[in-house]
Amino acid sequence: MPKSPALRAPPANRLLAALPPKEYQRLLPELETVPMTFAQVIHSPGDTIRYVYFPNDSIVSLLAAEDHHASLEVGMIGNEGMTGISVFMGVNTSQTLALVQGPGTALRMTAGTLRKESNSLSHFHRLLHRYSHSLLTQMSLSSACNRFHTLDGRLARWLLMSHDRIGTDDFRLTQEFMSNMLGVRREGVNKVAGDLQRNKLISYSRGHIAILDRLGLERISCTCYGVIRAESDKSLSKNGYAA
Amino acid sequence: MPKSPALRAPPANRLLAALPPKEYQRLLPELETVPMTFAQVIHSPGDTIRYVYFPNDSIVSLLAAEDHHASLEVGMIGNEGMTGISVFMGVNTSQTLALVQGPGTALRMTAGTLRKESNSLSHFHRLLHRYSHSLLTQMSLSSACNRFHTLDGRLARWLLMSHDRIGTDDFRLTQEFMSNMLGVRREGVNKVAGDLQRNKLISYSRGHIAILDRLGLERISCTCYGVIRAESDKSLSKNGYAA
DNA sequence: CGGACTATGTGTGTTTGCGCACCGATTAAT
DNA sequence: ATTAATCGGTGCGCAAACACACATAGTCCG
């Protein structure tokens, strides 16, 4: 664990400072210093991102916001990083809420300028960018999901995501394994899996599980499932994220 | 919410299938079909990643593994994606455990081949790649942290991360705000913040907080803090991740 | 066929954090 | 200066998930 003290009065964004002088000079005309005020919203879920910010002494928190006042920080961005990495990934929207947690200043650049950086890349490269974005989205959403949602909804979501990917209605799976995935005890999985089986949504026995009623699972699954899947599907289509 | 049924017997990785024929042909010679067996470890935290996998009908789970048998899935990868996105980000290691959750087949490529894709990129582009990796790492670690660690450790971690970025020992911050970040109730924050104050690690009053004993905070903070910070610091140095 | 192993089902008490309700104290606004 | 809003502190009952302990039933293998 690093015991070094926090930097005193960090003068500038370290990400930009890590660039060779030539590249920094190239970007400089595109950068504008702006104040960051406490609780300022940088972008909301679904918004088109107009600017990306490179904090100096300010801090931006990425939040996964739930419906009812419940929120969870999924990322903290200070002078070591930037907001709007999605834009770099070729996607002008984000599922997270970015707001200023610590006031100060930042350098900002228009989203369009940043996107130009990715011109002349191969299709493969751009595809992987979009996939990275969908993975980031999956991580941030499921992070909040694990925090706020009850086990039955989470198990349903997990089964649906597996079902989407495995391509068959029955597959090998123990309660023990699921408990490791969901970060809970086997006994907890036993209880809710039993409920699902009693309601004829799934059936299982000794390490073998079958999806009986997909729509029923979708009904009790949290809404995270739909969002994650939509984001994933979009990342595969070249124009899914057309700006 | 998409009500579409799962694809039946998905023939091949959809990420690769989304490529224009020309690019797919270019990559084809580098791809090798391999079987994926249940519980097979694709890579462990800290390992050098040798291959990246594009699952066909198999599924790979990304796990944040805690010390004592506790683990949590932070990402699920099927035919819509690939393992080892870190390699694409210019980093040959990962903090996550990737293991086969659903058996089947996958196409694989050596890490070296994938890294060649990022040759001839600007420093800026490569720097943003590394930062993306560090953000992914931050998200996956804090996801598990929020699941397994107690509130006092998490609050200490969060204060340290803020302290690192804000550059001063005291800053504006209410318990209400912290509760939103940590995804708990204000009353919960009140309790542990009170403990920290009684132990002279911090002091606060009406929306103003001061870090009194940074080392003390590091002591009670979870180990996540050190890992996240190390990863973040490495992403800034060009050679931090030298292959 | 019989024993070992694995997967599942269940119970009891405990902890953590939630929901709500309320109070006092300080700051900010008119 | 009085009022209103904000911030912090606290108590109580409840629900979810924990840790541990144990019971039962398929499955595998000699």
Side-chain angles (χ1 to χ4, degrees):
Chain A
M1 188 187 303
K3 295 285 196 226
S4 46
L7 299 171
R8 300 298 137 175
N13 183 273
R14 291 191 290 149
L15 198 60
L16 293 171
L19 289 172
K22 242 185 191 165
E23 292 223 31
Y24 184 64
Q25 290 302 322
R26 174 169 71 86
L27 296 173
L28 204 50
E30 310 288 351
L31 292 166
E32 172 190 13
T33 301
V34 290
M36 305 284 269
T37 61
F38 184 74
Q40 177 187 347
V41 173
I42 301 298
H43 60 250
S44 297
D47 280 3
T48 297
I49 299 176
R50 303 231 173 113
Y51 295 95
V52 299
Y53 294 79
F54 300 85
N56 292 321
D57 52 351
S58 52
I59 306 182
V60 175
S61 288
L62 298 183
L63 301 185
E66 286 284 312
D67 333 325
H68 330 288
H69 309 287
S71 65
L72 175 70
E73 185 186 78
V74 294
M76 189 190 287
I77 297 164
N79 62 13
E80 88 295 346
M82 64 176 286
T83 72
I85 194 74
S86 307
V87 173
F88 174 62
M89 298 301 175
V91 185
N92 272 13
T93 60
S94 168
Q95 294 292 338
T96 58
L97 169 68
L99 63 83
V100 176
Q101 172 217 318
T105 63
L107 292 156
R108 81 175 183 188
M109 181 185 277
T110 66
T113 304
L114 181 62
R115 289 200 74 159
K116 274 193 221 134
E117 282 297 314
S118 297
N119 283 349
S120 79
L121 292 176
S122 70
H123 283 90
F124 183 49
H125 197 110
R126 272 183 286 197
L127 187 61
L128 294 192
H129 269 185
R130 291 201 301 275
Y131 176 60
S132 302
H133 171 260
S134 102
L135 195 59
L136 272 168
T137 304
Q138 185 194 139
M139 280 189 180
S140 61
L141 287 177
S142 55
S143 180
C145 183
N146 286 329
R147 177 68 194 82
F148 295 120
H149 297 159
T150 48
L151 193 48
D152 51 354
R154 274 156 57 205
L155 178 59
R157 170 176 71 84
W158 191 85
L159 288 172
L160 288 170
M161 287 179 63
S162 295
H163 190 217
D164 284 342
R165 287 165 177 76
I166 205 75
T168 58
D169 282 344
D170 43 333
F171 39 97
R172 178 174 167 187
L173 202 51
T174 66
Q175 299 184 354
E176 171 88 35
F177 193 86
M178 288 186 261
S179 78
N180 287 330
M181 297 298 123
L182 297 168
V184 297
R185 292 169 316 140
R186 182 191 59 76
E187 294 93 319
V189 172
N190 179 271
K191 187 179 181 309
V192 298
D195 292 343
L196 293 185
Q197 177 154 251
R198 273 183 288 283
N199 291 328
K200 306 242 191 301
L201 301 180
I202 62 173
S203 89
Y204 61 89
S205 151
R206 301 198 64 70
H208 197 261
I209 192 167
I211 307 291
L212 298 183
D213 180 358
R214 214 192 124 84
L215 291 176
L217 284 176
E218 288 182 1
R219 221 169 295 125
I220 68 163
S221 146
C222 35
T223 52
C224 308
Y225 170 69
V227 181
I228 291 174
R229 168 146 180 183
E231 206 72 17
S232 168
D233 287 348
K234 270 194 289 183
S235 83
L236 288 174
S237 69
K238 192 170 146 193
N239 296 317
Y241 285 121
Chain B
M1 187 187 304
K3 295 285 193 222
S4 45
L7 297 173
R8 301 297 140 174
N13 183 275
R14 293 190 289 151
L15 198 60
L16 293 172
L19 288 172
K22 241 184 190 166
E23 290 223 32
Y24 183 64
Q25 291 301 322
R26 174 169 71 85
L27 295 173
L28 203 50
E30 310 288 352
L31 292 165
E32 172 190 13
T33 301
V34 291
M36 306 283 269
T37 61
F38 183 75
Q40 177 188 344
V41 173
I42 300 299
H43 61 251
S44 296
D47 280 2
T48 297
I49 299 176
R50 302 229 175 115
Y51 294 95
V52 300
Y53 293 79
F54 299 84
N56 293 321
D57 51 350
S58 52
I59 306 182
V60 175
S61 288
L62 299 183
L63 301 184
E66 287 284 311
D67 332 324
H68 331 288
H69 310 286
S71 64
L72 175 70
E73 185 186 78
V74 294
M76 188 189 287
I77 297 164
N79 62 14
E80 89 295 345
M82 65 176 286
T83 72
I85 194 74
S86 308
V87 173
F88 173 63
M89 299 298 174
V91 185
N92 273 12
T93 61
S94 168
Q95 294 292 338
T96 58
L97 169 67
L99 62 83
V100 176
Q101 172 217 319
T105 63
L107 292 157
R108 79 174 182 189
M109 182 187 275
T110 65
T113 304
L114 182 62
R115 289 200 73 159
K116 274 191 220 132
E117 284 295 316
S118 299
N119 282 350
S120 79
L121 292 177
S122 67
H123 282 90
F124 183 48
H125 197 110
R126 272 184 286 200
L127 187 61
L128 293 192
H129 269 187
R130 291 201 302 275
Y131 176 61
S132 302
H133 171 260
S134 103
L135 195 57
L136 272 167
T137 304
Q138 187 195 137
M139 280 191 181
S140 61
L141 287 176
S142 56
S143 180
C145 182
N146 286 329
R147 175 69 193 78
F148 296 120
H149 297 157
T150 49
L151 192 47
D152 52 353
R154 276 156 54 206
L155 178 59
R157 170 177 71 84
W158 190 86
L159 288 172
L160 288 171
M161 287 179 62
S162 296
H163 190 216
D164 283 343
R165 287 164 177 77
I166 206 75
T168 57
D169 282 344
D170 44 332
F171 38 97
R172 178 174 167 187
L173 201 51
T174 66
Q175 298 183 353
E176 171 88 35
F177 193 87
M178 288 187 260
S179 78
N180 288 329
M181 296 298 124
L182 297 167
V184 296
R185 289 173 318 145
R186 182 189 57 77
E187 294 92 319
V189 172
N190 180 270
K191 188 180 182 306
V192 299
D195 291 343
L196 294 186
Q197 179 155 250
R198 271 182 289 282
N199 291 329
K200 306 243 190 300
L201 300 180
I202 62 174
S203 88
Y204 60 89
S205 150
R206 301 199 61 69
H208 198 262
I209 193 167
I211 307 290
L212 298 182
D213 180 358
R214 214 192 124 84
L215 291 177
L217 284 176
E218 290 182 0
R219 223 171 293 124
I220 68 162
S221 147
C222 36
T223 53
C224 308
Y225 170 68
V227 180
I228 291 173
R229 169 147 181 182
E231 206 72 16
S232 167
D233 285 349
K234 270 195 289 182
S235 83
L236 289 174
S237 70
K238 193 169 145 192
N239 296 316
Y241 285 122

